[in-house]
Amino acid sequence: MKKMKTNLDERQEQMLLKIECRGCWMAFWGLLAAIFIQMIIGRGEIQYILGEWIVFMALAFYLVISCMKNGIWDRHLKPNRKTNVISSLLAGAVTGVLYFLIYKNRGAKTDDNLWLALFMAVITFVLCFAALEISAIVYKKRSDRIENQEEPEDEK
Amino acid sequence: MKNLRLKSARAAFDMSQQELAQAVGVSRQTINAIEKGDYNPTIKLCRKICRVLGKNLDELFWEDDDDEENEN
């Protein structure tokens, strides 16, 4: 495919990539915040958050699949069990707090509220941990494959 | 770290940042950022600059060990 002519030089191109990268993460966290806020204020039904949820999931899947394909995990974190447990615990804790607030706003009793929030936190932890473990296995396989690819004859 | 060698080579040619930028096909801001040490150009751009200023890569872009230590 023919490349389109660019008006930018290499520094401007890098700067634009940085700006677009920041924009992407702002959209990612902004969408997540929007979904959480709608859930807390009682508009958590699927018809209210469907649009945000679809865009958020599409963005998340795109990022995960692209990174996996290129053998990239994370800038700082490594795909090991300790990191996966900590990340999943964090996700569980955030979900627990979120559901505590949601049930509280719906007028549930504090005891029931706590148990429901704890249940959601545990479910989130388990699902998150499973997803991270599976992703880590896929990543390691992909990464090994890329690293051990044979050099084409003309590049040797 | 500032690239004073590039700045002086450009001055020796009596070229402004704008003129050098035009000669190598980038913006003036980019030449300014290279001279100020805010941007590390690609090898492709380094070679273009060297060609225009009649210098080699070592003369304009080579950093001594001392320079690298100062940078870290």
Side-chain angles (χ1 to χ4, degrees):
Chain A
M1 202 174 78
K2 204 178 167 188
K3 266 190 181 175
M4 275 176 74
K5 189 183 172 293
T6 174
N7 297 321
L8 307 179
D9 67 31
E10 56 177 52
R11 184 193 57 83
Q12 291 169 322
E13 188 68 46
Q14 281 187 23
M15 186 52 73
L16 181 63
L17 286 172
K18 266 188 202 165
I19 293 165
E20 287 171 341
C21 169
R22 281 188 211 122
C24 166
W25 285 111
M26 276 165 69
F28 184 87
W29 294 112
L31 281 167
L32 190 62
I35 293 171
F36 279 7
I37 289 167
Q38 279 177 310
M39 286 169 84
I40 291 170
I41 62 173
R43 289 168 67 97
E45 286 82 12
I46 196 74
Q47 66 264 33
Y48 294 123
I49 58 169
L50 186 64
E52 288 94 329
W53 187 80
I54 289 172
V55 178
F56 177 77
M57 290 310 282
L59 191 51
F61 273 109
Y62 168 74
L63 291 171
V64 169
I65 292 168
S66 303
C67 285
M68 292 276 179
K69 212 173 148 191
N70 290 289
I72 296 168
W73 182 257
D74 183 73
R75 224 174 248 115
H76 308 292
L77 303 175
K78 291 202 167 158
N80 54 36
R81 189 140 299 160
K82 190 184 157 198
T83 315
N84 292 351
V85 169
I86 293 171
S87 309
S88 308
L89 277 173
L90 262 174
V94 170
T95 309
V97 172
L98 176 72
Y99 273 89
F100 181 81
L101 294 172
I102 290 169
Y103 292 131
K104 196 179 159 198
N105 278 356
R106 285 184 189 169
K109 282 184 201 162
T110 309
D111 273 2
D112 297 345
N113 194 356
L114 267 175
W115 283 113
L116 284 167
L118 189 65
F119 175 73
M120 293 308 289
V122 172
I123 292 281
T124 305
F125 168 78
V126 172
L127 290 177
C128 236
F129 183 69
L132 282 171
E133 285 287 299
I134 293 166
S135 305
I137 293 167
V138 175
Y139 159 78
K140 278 175 189 161
K141 273 191 185 167
R142 177 70 190 157
S143 175
D144 285 348
R145 216 173 111 193
I146 294 171
E147 283 300 311
N148 298 324
Q149 247 171 8
E150 276 186 34
E151 279 181 62
E153 275 304 310
D154 57 344
E155 285 178 22
K156 278 182 186 170
Chain B
M1 200 189 63
K2 283 185 180 178
N3 191 335
L4 297 174
R5 280 177 288 182
L6 172 59
K7 200 171 183 173
S8 59
R10 179 174 60 74
F13 261 71
D14 204 18
M15 274 180 124
S16 64
Q17 286 186 339
Q18 183 67 50
E19 285 165 337
L20 179 59
Q22 269 175 355
V24 296
V26 296
S27 64
R28 193 198 64 80
Q29 290 169 352
T30 298
I31 298 296
N32 188 39
I34 297 169
E35 287 185 356
K36 277 167 62 186
D38 291 341
Y39 174 65
N40 276 330
T42 61
I43 192 79
K44 204 172 157 187
L45 179 54
C46 290
R47 287 178 60 187
K48 275 188 191 172
I49 293 172
C50 287
R51 222 170 282 144
V52 169
L53 297 178
K55 301 274 184 190
N56 61 38
L57 283 168
D58 283 3
E59 286 173 303
L60 290 187
F61 296 102
W62 182 258
E63 285 181 2
D64 298 328
D65 290 344
D66 290 348
D67 296 337
E68 279 180 33
E69 276 166 24
N70 288 339
E71 205 175 353
N72 296 329

